[in-house]
Amino acid sequence: MNQNEMPLSEAEIRSHYSAATTVLTSLAHAPRIAKPVAEAAAAPAAARSPGITASPRRMRSTTPGLATRAPRAATGTVRLIDRISSLGDDELPGPVQAATVRALRRAVAIAYTVGDAFAQRCALAEMKQANKTGTLPAASRAEFSQLLTAESLIVLSVFGNAASYLLASNAGEAQVEIGPVEEILTDNAPQAIQGALWELDQDIAAFAGGDETKLVPVVLAYCEALMSRVRDRAATTPHLEAFTDAAWRVEADDLPISGFDPARKAKGSQLVMAFKKPEEVIGNAVAKSQALRLSKMLMAYDFQRKLNPFAELGGFIFTFMGDGNPGTGKTTLIQMMGGLLNDYCQNAGYPFRYENFGIDQIDSYQGKSGQNAKAFINNVMDPAVIGFGTVDDIDQIAGKRGDSQSSVGQQEVTAVLMEAFAGANTIVRGNATFGMFSNYPENVDDALRQRAGARFLIDGPQSREDYIDILTLLLGKNHAIPVGDHDLFATQEISRAVKASYDRHSRPQEDALAQVFDAVTGRVGELDTLEKIGTYLKAIQEADGRFTGRAIKNITDAVKVRAMDFELPDEWMENPELFLFKDYDAKKAMIEELREPITTAMVIQEINRYADSEFRYAGKSDEAEISKMVRNMGLQKKAAARFAS
């Protein structure tokens, strides 16, 4: 348990089981905000909760952005347990139905327990007692009402949070959209829970019908919508500090409760991926080296302090861009880094989450793509896990602003990623990193691309030795062909290859940038002072207006990474007691001892590496536009000739 978290008593949670069971078994609720929803047409009459009158099924508009709610059905007694048990063809409830009921009962009990804890931490508990005895002063009634509103929102948030967390293991691939939650009542905690359970019953009727496989997706969708709506209300609600400034944990479920942040994601998911070892990544020396180093950097994250010493000292890579031609090893690099992190985390007992944001998460419904992107960001950045997020083929997923070919969904994703990677509210704790990969980075929005703090040029095998190594690797062992006069995988030794790669960037690789470099050094001489280096940077900006202050920040961040140009020893990963399990200050001191001073050569090489990539992207982008214009002119010429004939 985090030393800042307070345990929630299991005895106190179970003391609320009776009340929770009662409201799940039967409650009478007259909706005050929402309208009664229709019974699902597919649900048998016997499955309807007594008192709920059948009416046409609620439908979702197929037009993005339009209404998601239709009129609801009449008021009556709701029996949520009966509703859940009646799903499916079997007269007896199945395992998923039973698990759902148990999860909802425990979630209600946990919510009531946290509500009690909140009341004890502020003046609400005393005010409740005074109100009960009729001794509450008239001057305190306004504050009392505000505190009851705060408690109601807290209980609703914890209920949705706990139910979602407890049902996470039963979640499948199916997803259900239910629209916004409406019955948010803030009179008091019991009334708030009754309103929530009433609306959940309505949604199960409308969206699960008689299909038990849709039960958990509907409940999870409702919980997410509930938490989102409550979070919005909480932003303008006073007296929440006693809840938001504290943190609790339910030991039996390993459930963390920290403000209005969802905890369902805190359970690290099992990574399913074909892992690759570093020697199986042929070529790509710098990218491989930085990925290996970054994997170990992430492991320095301190779960108690919720901060990584590398993030404090400088040199942590929060975002990076990997670009290269098709078939040069981008997927292999992802598999290598994911495999390393998975192995390190398993050895240390840390939760690890890998997620990829793919094209299938671009949705035709307005706003849904942005929601998917935000959920992806939140899952990876969860401070309770080590997170690795990738956006493969980002040029297809995130649209360029102003590009008529980009869909609304792609534009939404671009906006979310830009805000998440370098927005006003971005907090880099050092527990997560994001990699954007593309064969055509020139097609990525300039501002989004510049939010990549590091650049990994993934150029694949280059040398004769690389091609021998990759041929041998891919052929496998089912042959007796001799290797010949070649030291297999010797050139894949990272430190040697990385030094050679860095040395190449002592001068630019792109012709256009080389001209700028030669002009500046011809005028001011060797770039050995900050004044001369600044002159070079200004000359680059004059040659390419997209080379802004953000580019300088990315370069200086890369230089700080070079100052951390060391790998944490393998034995520190293999034996967590040597480093990983030490306290934050001890880890920070150990890292500082390994840090190297920044040199002029580092600065020049990192300027050239970054600027080379920007000039390369600009050159490809310009060439693509020119090719398009030439083709259009050719077509116009042919059309005119055909018209004239």
Side-chain angles (χ1 to χ4, degrees):
M1 176 184 290
N2 188 317
Q3 63 181 0
N4 297 319
E5 292 176 335
M6 297 176 289
L8 285 174
S9 165
E10 184 66 21
E12 188 173 357
I13 292 173
R14 290 180 176 271
S15 72
H16 290 292
Y17 271 13
S18 177
T21 302
T22 297
V23 292
L24 288 171
T25 302
S26 177
L27 68 88
H29 179 75
R32 305 207 313 254
I33 301 173
K35 296 179 181 178
V37 77
E39 290 278 343
R48 296 173 185 144
S49 296
I52 301 289
T53 305
S55 63
R57 182 175 180 174
R58 176 173 69 183
M59 300 297 291
R60 174 178 171 84
S61 169
T62 56
T63 305
L66 295 189
T68 57
R69 293 272 182 178
R72 296 179 181 258
T75 306
T77 302
V78 175
R79 295 184 172 89
L80 192 54
I81 292 179
D82 289 348
R83 168 82 70 192
I84 293 171
S85 300
S86 68
L87 298 179
D89 300 327
D90 199 327
E91 293 181 358
L92 297 176
V96 173
Q97 293 161 303
T100 302
V101 170
R102 293 178 68 87
L104 291 174
R105 181 184 69 168
R106 187 159 178 83
V108 171
I110 292 171
Y112 283 153
T113 304
V114 175
D116 291 346
F118 166 76
Q120 293 295 330
R121 286 175 59 86
C122 62
L124 182 57
E126 295 178 2
M127 286 185 173
K128 282 183 177 181
Q129 184 61 32
N131 184 64
K132 186 176 181 180
T133 58
T135 58
L136 181 69
S140 300
R141 293 192 179 279
E143 182 184 1
F144 180 50
S145 177
Q146 291 175 341
L147 284 169
L148 287 175
T149 296
E151 182 191 35
S152 299
L153 293 177
I154 290 166
V155 166
L156 287 174
S157 175
V158 173
F159 165 68
N161 196 355
S164 180
Y165 184 92
L166 295 170
L167 285 172
S169 59
N170 296 101
E173 296 298 322
Q175 292 186 342
V176 176
E177 290 191 39
I178 64 169
V181 170
E182 296 171 349
E183 191 74 357
I184 303 292
L185 306 181
T186 57
D187 305 69
N188 53 60
Q191 190 70 35
I193 288 294
Q194 286 188 26
L197 295 178
W198 175 87
E199 189 162 12
L200 176 58
D201 176 81
Q202 299 283 300
D203 284 333
I204 292 173
F207 296 106
D211 186 354
E212 64 180 313
T213 64
K214 293 183 179 178
L215 172 61
V216 172
V218 169
V219 175
L220 292 179
Y222 172 79
C223 290
E224 290 177 7
L226 175 66
M227 286 187 286
S228 177
R229 185 71 184 275
V230 169
R231 216 165 24 243
D232 291 341
R233 287 282 299 273
T236 57
T237 300
H239 304 302
L240 287 168
E241 295 80 9
F243 174 64
T244 56
D245 292 346
W248 291 270
R249 182 172 291 272
V250 181
E251 288 283 10
D253 306 307
D254 195 27
L255 165 63
I257 299 172
S258 179
F260 293 94
D261 294 331
R264 175 187 171 192
K265 57 186 183 299
K267 285 187 176 180
S269 55
Q270 183 65 34
L271 182 61
V272 180
M273 180 188 289
F275 298 149
K276 299 291 183 182
K277 297 180 180 179
E279 59 268 22
E280 295 178 299
V281 181
I282 305 300
N284 300 320
V286 172
K288 182 164 59 174
S289 171
Q290 289 187 312
L292 185 59
R293 190 178 301 128
L294 177 55
S295 299
K296 292 182 177 179
M297 280 185 178
L298 283 164
M299 296 303 296
Y301 176 70
D302 188 277
F303 283 89
Q304 291 190 347
R305 187 75 66 89
K306 287 186 168 53
L307 184 63
N308 192 319
F310 282 102
E312 181 180 348
L313 296 172
F316 180 79
I317 301 174
F318 179 52
T319 54
F320 62 92
M321 170 76 77
D323 73 279
N325 293 326
T328 51
K330 291 184 291 298
T331 301
T332 305
L333 193 72
I334 293 172
Q335 292 170 329
M336 182 199 85
M337 188 168 170
L340 288 170
L341 283 168
N342 183 71
D343 291 347
Y344 293 158
C345 287
Q346 282 191 350
N347 189 48
Y350 291 169
F352 170 56
R353 176 169 296 109
Y354 166 75
E355 285 199 19
N356 179 67
F357 190 84
I359 193 69
D360 58 320
Q361 290 168 280
I362 305 296
D363 199 281
S364 59
Y365 291 111
Q366 187 172 354
K368 184 61 177 176
S369 301
Q371 291 177 10
N372 291 343
K374 187 65 177 176
F376 160 71
I377 295 293
N378 289 340
N379 286 346
V380 175
M381 291 186 67
D382 176 6
V385 304
I386 300 297
F388 177 32
T390 57
V391 188
D392 207 359
D393 294 322
I394 190 170
D395 53 286
Q396 298 181 36
I397 293 170
K400 271 189 175 182
R401 292 168 297 173
D403 184 359
S404 60
Q405 301 299 314
S406 297
S407 69
V408 173
Q410 289 172 308
Q411 299 284 351
E412 290 173 6
V413 171
T414 298
V416 170
L417 295 184
M418 287 177 60
E419 173 64 23
F421 292 164
N425 298 319
T426 302
I427 300 176
V428 179
R429 296 185 177 91
N431 69 303
T433 188
F434 293 89
M436 299 176 281
F437 296 85
S438 176
N439 299 133
Y440 306 100
E442 66 276 5
N443 293 334
V444 180
D445 187 90
D446 289 342
L448 176 57
R449 190 177 67 238
Q450 289 173 5
R451 278 163 166 74
R455 304 298 173 88
F456 293 3
L457 174 59
I458 304 173
D459 51 4
Q462 296 292 308
S463 67
R464 166 182 169 274
E465 289 77 13
D466 285 346
Y467 277 91
I468 298 172
D469 288 343
I470 195 170
L471 173 64
T472 305
L473 181 68
L474 296 178
L475 277 177
K477 299 181 178 180
N478 189 27
H479 67 85
I481 305 172
V483 173
D485 186 15
H486 174 70
D487 188 359
L488 200 59
F489 302 126
T491 57
Q492 306 312 317
E493 198 266 314
I494 292 179
S495 59
R496 185 198 316 176
V498 167
K499 185 179 185 307
S501 180
Y502 280 142
D503 288 344
R504 283 199 301 273
H505 285 285
S506 294
R507 65 171 285 108
Q509 303 295 298
E510 295 293 315
D511 291 339
L513 182 60
Q515 293 176 17
V516 176
F517 181 83
D518 291 338
V520 172
T521 54
R523 188 169 74 251
V524 303
E526 182 182 355
L527 305 179
D528 54 4
T529 68
L530 293 178
E531 176 193 6
K532 294 178 180 179
I533 295 173
T535 302
Y536 179 38
L537 292 171
K538 174 58 179 174
I540 297 173
Q541 185 271 330
E542 290 173 348
D544 185 347
R546 291 171 293 190
F547 197 79
T548 63
R550 187 176 298 280
I552 310 305
K553 180 183 184 304
N554 290 339
I555 289 168
T556 54
D557 285 346
V559 171
K560 292 173 184 176
V561 172
R562 289 286 301 279
M564 300 288 188
D565 198 8
F566 57 83
E567 279 187 40
L568 299 180
D570 287 336
E571 53 266 28
W572 289 7
M573 302 295 115
E574 295 165 2
N575 185 355
E577 298 290 344
L578 296 177
F579 175 75
L580 300 181
F581 291 172
K582 291 185 179 294
D583 63 68
Y584 180 86
D585 293 328
K587 286 190 283 193
K588 180 180 174 183
M590 294 171 73
I591 291 170
E592 284 183 309
E593 288 182 6
L594 298 173
R595 185 166 54 175
E596 298 179 2
I598 294 172
T599 65
T600 304
M602 287 182 190
V603 178
I604 299 301
Q605 289 168 1
E606 292 307 319
I607 290 174
N608 288 337
R609 286 184 65 233
Y610 187 92
D612 269 336
S613 66
E614 284 298 309
F615 274 71
R616 184 170 64 252
Y617 302 154
K620 288 182 178 180
S621 182
D622 292 345
E623 184 59 36
E625 290 298 322
I626 291 171
S627 298
K628 187 187 301 182
M629 293 174 66
V630 168
R631 183 175 182 276
N632 288 337
M633 289 177 181
L635 291 174
Q636 289 176 3
K637 186 175 180 180
K638 288 181 179 180
R642 184 176 299 178
F643 180 78
S645 62

